Amino acid sequence: GGGEEEGGFLNEKIDEEVDIPVTTGAEGKPPCFSFRTLWAFTGPGWLMSMAYLDPGNLEGDLQQGAYTGYQLLWVLFWSTALGWLLQVLAATLGVVTGKDLATHCRTRFCKPVSLTLWLMTEIAIIGSDIQEVIGSAIALKLLFDLPLWIGTLITGLDTFTFLLFHYWGIRKLESVFCAMIFVMCVCFFINWGKSGTDAGQFMFGLFVPTIEDYALIPAVGTLGAVIMPHNIYLHSALVLSRKIDRRDPTKVWEAIKYNAIESGMALLISFFINAAVVVTFTTHFFNVGCASLEAGNFACVDTRSDGIPEDDYFNGISPDTCVNEHNGYGRCAEIGLSTAGHALGQTLGSAAKYIWGVGVLASGQASTMTGTYAGQFVMQGFLQLKVAPWKRTMMTRLVALGPAVIVALGTAHDPVISDTLNEWLNVLQSIQLPFALLPVLILTSSALVMEQFVNTPATNFIGWCGAALVFAANLYLVIDFCWEDNSKHVPSADWFHPTVIFLLVLYFVFIGWVIYDGIVGFALRANKADRDKHM
């Protein structure tokens, strides 16, 4: 009885269906494009796009700008474009079949693979949740001078307010996320406008692929950090809120088209928000001398900035080109989410610090709510558990809040530690990406699942090339991150590197297993079931 009641509440509110208007053009045929129809489909893509604007991505943006300048804008753009392709595939899977990606994984793969995919996705959600909780706490500290541990508690608990939006219905929930994106646009665009842009360098960085040696690791990190694995599962479920007649191929193609347009618009806006952060920090903190130091990538920061420990400055080896910046107070130093607001405040004025803080707070709050929804759909799809939203929120908050509070207490006097954790969590998101990317490619390539809506050969080629690029990037990123000679980020214990090698082997073995089981294993099971049926 209780499960049915919870499931009913879930279906009534989260899976509420939005009617699609019937539009006709000349000769009674549907028009090529209708703003009214687009409006009806508008919502899931904007909610999905919050994962491209979470605090982890913002830290990646500011470090990309401060450490590499304009040169990696093309990486940011094409990573977002690959993300758009994957989101469209996930949305198409949901539209065509009426089932989300997690549900398909449960039925397509054997049980050990399905459960491991679920576990990997949950780990990705928890890692992203920690980033979002700490990001919001950093914003609250910046705005109200609250200790980090209090900010993490407030952020973890105030996610329960999403139940209010949940009760209002899907359209009002989507409007709340659009409002959050608008707040971020205003905040980050104000600081971008005050900073100015070298238009020539911007266009060159966007359209001409170039990577200096010192920018290789940030480039690989950007590829992995932009696309969130659990977001692919989320989008395949969000599109189910639109009422579509799946018996009519014309209506299905219409839904696929408008979902692709809406997702493209949302991700284009997210790209410009990310670019605004990149350009702002490029203008004020990028210095080639600091970026190419033997010790790693660094920014040129004003030593008068509050919130950056004195020990974090490279006083002895900062190049003259940096020392002469910021009225003679420039020094090479690491910069991250916890120190960025103070650095901006010193350079652009105190108003810029608070504007930045409001933008980061909007990012943290909205992306935490999307993470909770992703967890809801993932648990329901993989395990067939219809958990009441408040129970799911309680579970995700407790799992993520404990580590977040511990990190906040440990980093109260050294914000660089929390920035290092963010780097680790970005690596975690990157290595988890194949466990969403592979299932969506395998499923949308299957004519048995998609029928006439199966991927075209060109889509499959681009998708699998993107997957290969992600695998190679992940391998390079982990090897560099764990074996870098001057790294301060990894343990020095003897057991660490053998453990990493063992886990890497397991990782690629499991990737191979997912591909084999999703294609060959599924075909063998289907043939056996067909033979048993005719016996």
Side-chain angles (χ1 to χ4, degrees):
E4 289 178 5
E5 181 182 340
E6 291 171 6
F9 179 73
L10 181 74
N11 290 329
E12 178 189 351
K13 296 301 176 185
I14 290 184
D15 294 337
E16 171 190 66
E17 290 190 330
V18 177
D19 289 318
I20 305 301
V22 178
T23 53
T24 55
E27 302 177 4
K29 296 180 180 178
C32 291
F33 181 80
S34 164
F35 280 105
R36 188 176 168 213
T37 306
L38 178 62
W39 178 251
F41 280 102
T42 296
W46 295 92
L47 201 155
M48 164 276 294
S49 72
M50 278 309 310
Y52 291 75
L53 297 166
D54 74 334
N57 272 309
L58 295 183
E59 177 161 79
D61 294 336
L62 72 90
Q63 289 180 335
Q64 179 182 320
Y67 296 164
T68 68
Y70 292 100
Q71 65 180 292
L72 296 185
L73 282 171
W74 67 276
V75 178
L76 178 62
F77 177 80
W78 287 109
S79 297
T80 307
L82 176 60
W84 173 76
L85 173 64
L86 296 174
Q87 300 297 164
V88 169
L89 293 181
T92 301
L93 179 69
V95 165
V96 170
T97 65
K99 296 176 183 177
D100 61 87
L101 178 58
T103 301
H104 277 289
C105 287
R106 181 178 55 81
T107 57
R108 175 86 182 196
F109 297 95
C110 66
K111 196 166 186 178
V113 171
S114 174
L115 288 176
T116 309
L117 286 172
W118 167 69
L119 181 63
M120 293 298 184
T121 308
E122 290 289 354
I123 290 172
I125 292 172
I126 292 167
S128 146
D129 218 8
I130 293 173
Q131 284 182 306
E132 290 150 7
V133 169
I134 293 178
S136 292
I138 287 170
L140 290 170
K141 179 177 175 62
L142 204 60
L143 294 170
F144 307 110
D145 203 27
L146 292 176
L148 281 181
W149 69 272
I150 292 179
T152 56
L153 286 174
I154 292 173
T155 304
L157 296 173
D158 74 6
T159 308
F160 285 98
T161 57
F162 99 92
L163 286 174
L164 177 62
F165 307 130
H166 169 95
Y167 180 76
W168 281 351
I170 192 70
R171 291 298 269 175
K172 292 184 176 64
L173 176 72
E174 290 165 354
S175 67
V176 168
F177 281 92
C178 286
M180 293 282 197
I181 292 171
F182 178 74
V183 169
M184 294 174 68
C185 272
V186 170
C187 292
F188 298 140
F189 280 33
I190 287 175
N191 282 345
W192 185 9
K194 291 173 67 178
S195 301
T197 307
D198 184 326
Q201 288 291 324
F202 182 91
M203 299 305 286
F204 187 86
L206 184 58
F207 292 110
V208 182
T210 53
I211 302 181
E212 297 291 341
D213 289 343
Y214 62 81
L216 191 56
I217 294 303
V220 174
T222 297
L223 176 65
V226 168
I227 309 167
M228 294 289 181
H230 58 278
N231 205 40
I232 297 171
Y233 287 94
L234 173 66
H235 199 197
S236 70
L238 290 174
V239 296
L240 301 181
S241 61
R242 269 51 183 177
K243 193 179 293 182
I244 300 160
D245 182 2
R246 292 183 174 83
R247 296 167 299 180
D248 184 350
T250 305
K251 295 297 182 184
V252 176
W253 280 119
E254 177 186 67
I256 292 170
K257 177 178 73 175
Y258 283 105
N259 276 310
I261 293 171
E262 187 245 3
S263 300
M265 291 167 57
L267 290 184
L268 186 62
I269 295 297
S270 80
F271 166 74
F272 279 108
I273 293 174
N274 286 320
V277 177
V278 171
V279 173
T280 299
F281 283 82
T282 294
T283 303
H284 300 291
F285 307 111
F286 174 62
N287 178 278
V288 174
C290 291
S292 53
L293 286 175
E294 189 177 344
N297 298 121
F298 297 97
C300 184
V301 181
D302 193 324
T303 55
R304 295 168 294 180
S305 305
D306 295 328
I308 302 180
E310 183 64 32
D311 293 342
D312 291 335
Y313 293 108
F314 288 80
N315 291 309
I317 60 173
S318 293
D320 291 341
T321 52
C322 174
V323 172
N324 295 332
E325 289 185 26
H326 305 296
N327 296 318
Y329 288 93
R331 295 292 185 277
C332 297
E334 289 189 4
I335 191 168
L337 202 62
S338 59
T339 54
H342 295 291
L344 269 184
Q346 180 63 39
T347 307
L348 272 179
S350 59
K353 177 176 80 171
Y354 295 110
I355 291 169
W356 168 260
V358 171
V360 173
L361 185 61
S363 164
Q365 293 295 297
S367 54
T368 305
M369 287 193 281
T370 58
T372 301
Y373 274 110
Q376 178 77 21
F377 292 126
V378 164
M379 179 172 282
Q380 181 180 326
F382 274 108
L383 306 182
Q384 287 292 281
L385 294 177
K386 292 185 177 180
V387 182
W390 69 269
K391 290 182 181 178
R392 172 67 205 185
T393 306
M394 178 76 75
M395 292 165 65
T396 55
R397 288 287 70 73
L398 289 176
V399 170
L401 195 58
V405 172
I406 292 170
V407 169
L409 290 171
T411 59
H413 303 293
D414 188 359
V416 172
I417 297 177
S418 69
D419 292 337
T420 300
L421 176 73
N422 257 329
E423 292 176 28
W424 272 96
L425 292 173
N426 277 338
V427 172
L428 174 70
Q429 296 293 339
S430 181
I431 63 177
Q432 299 289 18
L433 182 56
F435 305 122
L437 189 156
L438 287 173
V440 79
L441 280 174
I442 290 169
L443 286 159
T444 54
S445 301
S446 170
L448 191 63
V449 175
M450 303 296 288
E451 298 179 348
Q452 62 182 294
F453 307 99
V454 69
N455 290 346
T456 64
T459 302
N460 279 332
F461 178 77
I462 295 170
W464 285 102
C465 284
L469 183 62
V470 169
F471 300 155
N474 285 345
L475 183 61
Y476 184 87
L477 187 66
V478 171
I479 289 174
D480 186 89
F481 198 78
C482 296
W483 273 271
E484 185 184 5
D485 292 338
N486 299 315
S487 177
K488 304 181 292 296
H489 307 303
V490 299
S492 56
D494 292 339
W495 55 265
F496 179 73
H497 289 117
T499 303
V500 171
I501 293 171
F502 175 72
L503 292 175
L504 270 178
V505 171
L506 273 184
Y507 174 75
F508 282 102
V509 166
F510 183 66
I511 284 175
W513 190 17
V514 171
I515 296 171
Y516 174 83
D517 189 66
I519 299 173
V520 180
F522 176 77
L524 293 174
R525 288 191 294 274
N527 288 336
K528 183 178 183 300
D530 192 50
R531 287 196 305 270
D532 293 344
K533 184 178 177 181
H534 290 90
M535 283 181 66

